[in-house]
Amino acid sequence: MTTQIIAATGVDAFVAALDSYGATPAVTTGLVTYTVTPVTGALAGQQVRTGVILDEVAPWPAAPPHWIHVPGDVAFAQTNKGESPMPGWSSHSRDIKAWGTAATPIAAWLAHVRGVLGGAV
């Protein structure tokens, strides 16, 4: 009998949690990328590949990531925009509120990202 040990913290835990929610995670170009489907805004109903830099998920789930990385064709009316290691992508600064009260951190993170993407124009 083989016992699978799932990491409780860090990048491996973040990837495993994304996978458990069907977000098709992949580690590439310094990011963990995954897919979400916003429910509001210009991208509602569309699958959007997004990501987070590896260093930001190192303390997962004790602290949430801050920068959301998206393809360059995703734009926001107001944003604090930064570079992304993924060619053609940019990053956007977004705080997540009430992190310490999240019963399921990955569900809270995915809902946060869907909400942010709901503001895309």
Side-chain angles (χ1 to χ4, degrees):
M1 181 165 144
T2 303
T3 302
Q4 182 180 5
I5 298 173
I6 298 174
T9 62
V11 174
D12 291 340
F14 185 73
V15 168
L18 287 169
D19 191 48
S20 74
Y21 272 73
T24 60
V27 177
T28 183
T29 318
L31 297 175
V32 176
T33 63
Y34 52 95
T35 302
V36 296
T37 304
V39 295
T40 62
L43 300 173
Q46 299 177 45
Q47 290 190 339
V48 179
R49 197 78 182 155
T50 184
V52 62
I53 201 158
L54 294 174
D55 289 349
E56 283 204 84
V57 292
W60 179 265
H66 179 77
W67 291 87
I68 297 170
H69 296 248
V70 294
D73 61 346
V74 175
F76 300 93
Q78 294 182 330
T79 190
N80 182 11
K81 188 175 179 181
E83 299 286 321
S84 178
M86 181 74 81
W89 284 35
S90 61
S91 61
H92 299 270
S93 171
R94 294 294 191 273
D95 288 325
I96 185 171
K97 307 294 185 219
W99 185 251
T101 62
T104 308
I106 199 63
W109 176 251
L110 291 170
H112 170 66
V113 173
R114 280 192 304 274
V116 168
L117 291 173
V121 293

